[in-house]
Amino acid sequence: AQSVSQHNHHVILSEAASLELGCNYSYGGTVNLFWYVQYPGQHLQLLLKYFSGDPLVKGIKGFEAEFIKSKFSFNLRKPSVQWSDTAEYFCALSTLVNFNKFYFGSGTKLNVKP
Amino acid sequence: SQTIHQWPATLVQPVGSPLSLECTVEGTSNPNLYWYRQAAGRGLQLLFYSVGIGQISSEVPQNLSASRPQDRQFILSSKKLLLSDSGFYLCAWSEASAVYEQYFGPGTRLTVT
């Protein structure tokens, strides 16, 4: 069965530090990959997505993620975080076989200290 | 533009009482609709999804049920709530033709006492 793992449950950084949040998945076929973000008091919203093509995808607010198929990974990065990036981040996948189902990781809470 | 509504925003219910959470989508037709439960430290768990009126797929056996009486309305119900039903419930929708993204509602915080 498909699954998504986010091993960093809580990350604390100072402003201007670089960020990398890990996301690994288990599925042998073709996947679509997503990062969602939930800012305090706001809806869950899409940060970026990968379907095919360039494995390095750029999203909103300076975030990017790299799909490494051999490692089953889709890590999220940002070179310099801001206090406003404080939020919970969720990695998710869907498959071509069943694109209606999204499988989410357990989430990573990011706390950026000003 | 499309919007998704959920109500109520918060709910406190005693064990054994019934539940009805409602989700409606505006600005789109024939969307796919989803119910998730978000538990602290456990991410989002897909509970139900629907690709059309009256069509419900259940992902996990549980004390809850879902219905889709209208194209853009999705209801989550229970006849008798359990303590373990407490959580944050999210409704989401996606385009039916190509599920490139799911759009989430504001959620309902349910506390069963």
Side-chain angles (χ1 to χ4, degrees), chain A residues 4-19:
Chain A
V4 177
S5 298
Q6 292 180 247
H7 300 295
N8 312 107
H9 299 296
H10 198 178
V11 173
I12 302 173
L13 294 173
S14 298
E15 276 194 314
S18 65
L19 170 72

Side-chain angles (χ1 to χ4, degrees), chain B residues 3 10 27 30 42 65 68-69 77 79 82 86 103 108 110:
Chain B
T3 53
T10 60
N30 194 32
R42 297 184 62 184
S65 62
R68 184 171 177 173
S77 304
K79 292 182 179 177
L82 306 172
S86 293
Y103 303 89
T108 295
L110 171 66

Side-chain angles (χ1 to χ4, degrees), chain A:
Chain A
Q2 304 88 331
S3 67
V4 177
S5 298
Q6 292 180 247
H7 300 295
N8 312 107
H9 299 296
H10 198 178
V11 173
I12 302 173
L13 294 173
S14 298
E15 276 194 314
S18 65
L19 170 72
E20 181 159 3
L21 301 182
C23 172
N24 290 91
Y25 67 90
S26 64
Y27 183 70
T30 302
V31 294
N32 302 318
L33 294 160
F34 308 82
W35 274 99
Y36 279 82
V37 61
Q38 190 170 32
Y39 297 103
Q42 294 189 27
H43 297 205
L44 204 64
Q45 59 184 284
L46 184 70
L47 203 53
L48 49 79
K49 59 193 176 191
Y50 170 81
F51 294 125
S52 63
D54 189 345
L56 184 62
V57 292
K58 296 189 184 300
I60 60 173
K61 303 186 180 185
F63 285 91
E64 65 178 32
E66 184 175 13
F67 172 52
I68 303 180
K69 190 174 181 180
S70 61
K71 294 185 178 180
F72 297 89
S73 69
F74 189 56
N75 292 353
L76 181 70
R77 299 194 293 249
K78 186 171 183 179
S80 176
V81 295
Q82 301 173 319
W83 176 77
S84 58
D85 294 323
T86 294
E88 190 161 15
Y89 294 80
F90 294 92
C91 183
L93 75 79
S94 66
T95 70
L96 291 186
V97 172
N98 200 337
F99 54 80
N100 279 313
K101 291 187 184 181
F102 278 40
Y103 298 87
F104 282 82
S106 56
T108 298
K109 286 188 178 178
L110 172 65
N111 211 314
V112 180
K113 297 185 292 185

